[in-house]
Amino acid sequence: MRVFDSHVHVWRIDAPGHQWPDADWPLIHCDFALDDLRAEARDVDLAGVILVQSQPDDRDTDWLLADAANDALVAGVVGWVDFTSPQAPDRIATLARNPRLRGLRPMLQGIADTDWILDRALDPVIAAMIEHGLRFDALIQPRHLPVLHAFATRWPDLPIVIDHGAKPAAADGTLDPWRNDMAAVAALPQVHCKLSGLRTEQAQGQAADELAPYVAHLVSCFGDRLMWGSDWPVLRHAGDRYTDWIATAQALTGLTGDAAASLFEGAARRFYDVDAA
């Protein structure tokens, strides 16, 4: 089975602007590069990856794009832009000249104001994303789902993907209101979702099969708009290796044939339009 990974990080702990992970995350508080990913995924038919920003800093995005230019494994980059800056639309126009830039991620989970993305002052930034054909990676928590529904309804021409299934409270098995709110957002046709990051939402030592109701709901809601992502190397915090999360996703989704091919490769290719890029 070929795998196209929709969500990979690389970072350098001593890089300018690096904030996370810090020493409180000992299993991932070290440098990670694409060659480290290749070594860990050596038994996987890895067709390509989407590099996703991890730092709210322009220098991180510039570095990712430079890294992508020199590595054929990288099919696209999801960067970061300061949406509150008056220069944000110009910055987006400059970045978008690089065809490897496929999207932006404003890291909503770290913003205290849940409704922040609905601020009309941000409209020129969203309009610039649409103008330049970029996608919106929504790094959110369950509290954001009703807001994301309102945002996506306002901007029907903006392709949106929810990172990590909106980070449900898997540690204590809570399903509601995440379950109903996710179904409502999934009813909007431009909204996609990543089957990624769920192991990190569990408690240390919790069994992966306890994610079954969350995974089943995502498969039911999103169908061929659900894409697999490793969230490597963050998944190491849960004690998993790259192939562990592939095997877990295969087992919990139960998908085979074309449906499995869509989950593990096709959906991400379509969403990020990487072949055109």
Side-chain angles (χ1 to χ4, degrees):
M1 182 183 67
R2 285 167 60 86
V3 171
F4 184 95
D5 194 335
S6 70
H7 205 98
V8 165
H9 300 292
V10 292
W11 55 64
R12 297 171 302 176
I13 297 300
D14 63 351
H18 181 89
Q19 300 179 23
W20 183 91
D22 56 23
D24 291 336
W25 296 70
L27 294 179
I28 56 175
H29 186 236
C30 57
D31 293 352
F32 286 99
L34 287 167
D35 282 345
D36 299 314
L37 172 63
R38 285 188 175 89
E40 188 165 326
R42 60 186 175 275
D43 297 326
V44 178
D45 185 4
L46 196 55
V49 304
I50 299 293
L51 277 186
V52 180
Q53 62 80 224
S54 59
Q55 314 302 319
D57 193 292
D58 288 333
R59 292 167 293 185
D60 181 58
T61 297
D62 292 340
W63 174 61
L64 291 179
L65 287 169
D67 217 23
N70 298 314
D71 199 312
L73 183 64
V74 181
V77 170
V78 174
W80 179 89
V81 166
D82 180 0
F83 279 31
T84 66
S85 169
Q87 286 74 47
D90 292 337
R91 170 70 170 164
I92 290 171
T94 299
L95 289 172
R97 293 181 191 134
N98 187 327
R100 293 288 184 96
L101 185 78
R102 307 311 299 148
L104 296 174
R105 187 170 84 145
M107 304 186 80
L108 300 180
Q109 72 169 11
I111 298 173
D113 181 2
T114 301
D115 295 333
W116 178 82
I117 196 59
L118 297 179
D119 188 342
R120 285 293 187 181
L122 304 179
D123 284 5
V125 182
I126 307 304
M129 290 185 65
I130 295 171
E131 178 185 354
H132 294 287
L134 299 179
R135 284 90 177 112
F136 186 100
D137 262 60
L139 178 60
I140 62 172
Q141 298 163 330
R143 64 187 170 101
H144 295 98
L145 284 169
V147 175
L148 188 69
H149 187 280
F151 175 73
T153 301
R154 180 187 295 176
W155 300 100
D157 295 327
L158 179 68
I160 297 170
V161 63
I162 299 171
D163 291 349
H164 316 323
K167 297 193 166 187
D172 59 16
T174 300
L175 282 166
D176 298 315
W178 171 87
R179 180 163 43 190
N180 289 335
D181 290 343
M182 185 64 84
V185 173
L188 301 174
Q190 87 273 29
V191 180
H192 298 62
C193 188
K194 293 183 183 181
L195 183 60
S196 61
L198 297 181
R199 288 284 283 142
T200 314
E201 298 309 305
Q202 292 186 286
Q204 288 291 329
Q206 197 170 358
D209 61 9
E210 293 183 36
L211 293 171
Y214 301 97
V215 173
H217 190 59
L218 293 176
V219 171
S220 174
C221 286
F222 288 96
D224 63 4
R225 289 176 289 137
L226 185 67
M227 63 191 75
W228 183 86
S230 66
D231 196 25
W232 182 92
V234 182
L235 65 87
R236 285 187 165 199
H237 182 71
D240 276 11
R241 305 288 291 182
Y242 198 86
T243 51
D244 293 332
W245 180 236
I246 292 177
T248 296
Q250 287 177 311
L252 294 185
T253 63
L255 298 177
T256 59
D258 291 345
S262 177
L263 175 68
F264 284 99
E265 182 178 11
R269 283 190 179 277
R270 292 189 297 271
F271 177 76
Y272 286 109
D273 199 16
V274 294
D275 296 321

